[in-house]
């Protein structure tokens, strides 16, 4: 330098000076600060994070703001870390106070969590990384991540970060938005999240609603897995919304064609169907011929003889053949008969018997006729 020694700046411990990097060694950096000797930044004073060699952080020609940490004889020990930390703490205290979300980079994986560079060493416990369990954190190294500060203590040099809280806040906001937008009667698509013995929970894009097992299908459902599986996308209708308790009741059944839809295309008068006796009443029997479709066999149509009660002939659960007398989609009604099938069966048997008789009678007549002719 051209300055004489009496023009050298006065340096004191605690001063902040600006210097230019003149040499980068493995474990220290030499800096020109306009003093009679070059300042030394030990590697431990370069960053609050662990670095292997000084060149990982600074290069020759870099201009740095530095804190005068120690002066021994003509040796000046400087710290970049102290200046960065001072600036960082002011910023971190403000972010902590306001709950700001900001982006940082993960620099290390340590026991129990991750370390981020937030100007000082920020620690993120493993439990605060995601809303779910993470087995391997290697993908997070040198990656940007959005965080908020959940605990701060300058005296203890403690900064606790959370990415999980950021995600949770966003989920809660989304949940609130979806909840406010829901109305009774809306038809939406959702993803089946969870099956239980009483129904299924469906994610509507931020909040779950319950489809009770009775609302899964028009027919009786024994267990939810008979109808849906986790991960299925299904249509649902909103039955009710309790915004205070965040409870949503849904129906999948209401989005499906009813069991009676297009019944007249599937069944016509005179068809013979198989069904199951579901209920016996004093005026007849209800027989299920399709899932959710029951037809009435009036007591007068149960048997080809007079009966006092349907129980004399039928029992619940019995499989029976029935003939369709009449069908109406509008009235959701099918009239059925067992008696007509019995009568037809009897008539068929009689006809077959008569046919057999006719054939044997005819042959016998021929035989007798031949014999008689001989006596003519």
């Amino acid at each position: 330098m051209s300055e004489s020694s009496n023009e050298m700046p006065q340096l004191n411990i605690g001063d902040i000076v600006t210097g230019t990097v003149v040499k980068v060694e493995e474990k220290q950096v030499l800096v020109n600060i306009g003093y009679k000797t070059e300042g030394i930044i030990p590697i431990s004073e370069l960053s609050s994070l662990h670095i292997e060699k000084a060149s990982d952080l600074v290069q020759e020609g870099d201009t740095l703001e530095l804190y005068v940490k120690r002066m021994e004889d003509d040796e000046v020990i400087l710290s970049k870390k102290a200046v960065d930390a001072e600036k960082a703490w002011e910023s971190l205290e403000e972010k902590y106070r306001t709950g700001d979300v900001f982006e940082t980079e993960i620099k290390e994986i340590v026991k129990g969590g991750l370390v981020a560079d937030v100007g000082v060493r920020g620690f993120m416990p493993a439990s605060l990384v995601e809303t779910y369990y993470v087995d391997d954190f290697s993908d997070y190294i040198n990656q940007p991540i959005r965080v908020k500060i959940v605990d701060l203590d300058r005296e203890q040099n403690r900064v606790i970060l959370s990415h999980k809280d950021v995600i949770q806040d966003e989920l809660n906001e989304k949940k609130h938005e979806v909840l406010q937008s829901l109305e009774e009667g809306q038809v939406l698509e959702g993803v089946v999240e969870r099956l239980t013995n009483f129904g299924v929970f469906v994610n509507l894009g931020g909040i779950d609603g319950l489809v009770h097992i009775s609302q899964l299908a028009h027919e009786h459902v024994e267990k939810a897995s008979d109808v849906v599986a986790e991960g299925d996308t299904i249509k649902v209708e909103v039955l009710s919304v309790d915004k205070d308790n965040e409870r949503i009741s849904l129906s999948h059944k209401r989005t499906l064609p009813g069991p009676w839809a297009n019944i007249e295309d599937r069944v016509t008068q005179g068809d013979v169907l198989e069904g199951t006796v579901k209920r016996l009443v004093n005026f007849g029997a209800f027989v299920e011929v399709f899932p959710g479709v029951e037809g009435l066999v009036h007591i007068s149509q149960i048997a080809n003889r007079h009966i006092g009660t349907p129980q004399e002939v039928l029992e619940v659960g019995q499989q029976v053949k029935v003939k369709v007398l009449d069908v109406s989609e509008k009235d959701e009604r099918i009239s059925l008969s067992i008696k007509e099938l019995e009568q037809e069966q009897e008539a068929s048997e009689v006809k077959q018997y008569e046919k057999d008789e006719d054939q044997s009678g005819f042959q016998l007549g021929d035989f007798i006729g031949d014999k008689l002719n001989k006596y003519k």
Side-chain angles (χ1 to χ4, degrees), residues 282-300:
N282 57 7
F283 55 85
F286 286 95
V287 175
E288 187 177 55
V289 288
F290 296 108
V293 175
E294 290 181 10
L296 174 66
V297 182
H298 190 268
I299 193 165
S300 63

Side-chain angles (χ1 to χ4, degrees), residues 1 15 50 62 69 93 99 104 109 134 167 191 204 238 271 280 291 301 306 325-326 329 336 356 359 365:
M1 285 189 64
D15 285 354
H50 172 74
D62 286 354
K69 189 161 187 184
E93 282 166 349
T104 185
I109 300 170
V134 179
I167 300 301
V191 178
L204 301 174
V238 179
D271 284 354
L280 297 173
Q301 292 293 331
H306 176 73
L325 301 180
D326 186 37
E329 182 179 335
L336 304 168
D356 292 346
Q359 284 176 344

Side-chain angles (χ1 to χ4, degrees), residues 108-361:
E108 291 176 52
I109 300 170
V110 295
K111 188 180 179 184
L114 304 173
V115 174
D117 182 5
V118 290
V120 294
R121 191 180 173 87
F123 179 61
M124 192 187 306
S127 60
L128 295 182
V129 177
E130 299 289 358
T131 54
Y132 50 86
Y133 174 74
V134 179
D135 188 43
D136 180 10
F137 288 111
S138 55
D139 288 346
Y140 290 80
I141 287 290
N142 296 324
Q143 292 303 310
I145 191 167
R146 289 179 309 125
V147 297
K148 65 191 294 188
I149 301 166
V150 291
D151 190 20
L152 191 74
D153 189 327
R154 190 166 182 172
E155 282 181 22
Q156 299 288 328
N157 208 35
R158 185 171 73 236
V159 184
I160 305 297
L161 306 170
S162 174
H163 175 61
K164 178 183 176 177
D165 282 50
V166 174
I167 300 301
Q168 199 61 60
D169 289 348
E170 288 173 354
L171 290 173
N172 289 339
E173 192 175 326
K174 180 75 176 163
K175 188 176 181 179
H176 179 74
E177 281 175 17
V178 174
L179 193 61
Q180 295 308 312
S181 71
L182 289 179
E183 288 176 11
E184 194 177 313
Q186 265 181 320
V187 175
L188 311 158
E189 279 201 342
V191 178
V192 176
E193 289 278 312
R194 206 155 44 90
L195 275 62
T196 70
N197 56 5
F198 53 84
V200 300
F201 286 95
V202 175
N203 189 319
L204 301 174
I207 191 167
D208 287 355
L210 174 67
V211 180
H212 190 267
I213 198 160
S214 63
Q215 292 295 328
L216 275 173
H218 290 290
E219 62 270 20
H220 175 71
V221 176
E222 282 294 332
K223 51 185 192 293
S225 57
D226 292 341
V227 182
V228 291
E230 277 184 23
D232 283 358
T233 299
I234 61 169
K235 272 190 176 175
V236 289
E237 183 178 319
V238 179
L239 297 181
S240 65
V241 184
D242 180 346
K243 292 182 179 176
D244 293 335
N245 295 305
E246 296 185 355
R247 281 197 193 134
I248 303 159
S249 293
L250 305 168
S251 173
H252 179 50
K253 177 168 79 174
R254 288 205 187 178
T255 68
L256 302 171
W260 290 88
N262 306 316
I263 193 73
E264 290 176 25
D265 295 337
R266 291 182 281 159
V267 179
T268 53
Q269 190 178 347
D271 284 354
V272 175
L273 308 171
E274 278 214 3
T276 306
V277 177
K278 287 287 179 179
R279 286 178 294 142
L280 297 173
V281 290
N282 57 7
F283 55 85
F286 286 95
V287 175
E288 187 177 55
V289 288
F290 296 108
V293 175
E294 290 181 10
L296 174 66
V297 182
H298 190 268
I299 193 165
S300 63
Q301 292 293 331
I302 288 178
N304 197 14
R305 58 187 171 83
H306 176 73
I307 57 170
T309 65
Q311 285 87 345
E312 288 177 34
V313 180
L314 300 173
E315 58 183 36
V316 172
Q318 185 179 339
Q319 297 290 306
V320 291
K321 278 192 172 179
V322 288
K323 184 178 181 180
V324 178
L325 301 180
D326 186 37
V327 57
S328 167
E329 182 179 335
K330 180 170 157 286
D331 300 326
E332 294 191 352
R333 190 185 69 240
I334 297 182
S335 298
L336 304 168
S337 175
I338 297 171
K339 181 174 84 173
E340 283 208 7
L341 289 177
E342 284 185 356
Q343 287 175 338
E344 285 171 13
Q345 181 66 25
E346 280 182 19
S348 169
E349 286 169 359
V350 167
K351 199 172 277 183
Q352 185 62 45
Y353 172 77
E354 287 174 346
K355 188 178 174 189
D356 292 346
E357 279 294 296
D358 284 350
Q359 284 176 344
S360 61

Side-chain angles (χ1 to χ4, degrees), residues 66-78:
L66 304 160
Y67 174 84
V68 179
K69 189 161 187 184
R70 253 186 3 258
M71 297 184 71
E72 295 169 0
D73 301 327
D74 284 341
E75 195 174 72
V76 183
I77 305 299
L78 303 166

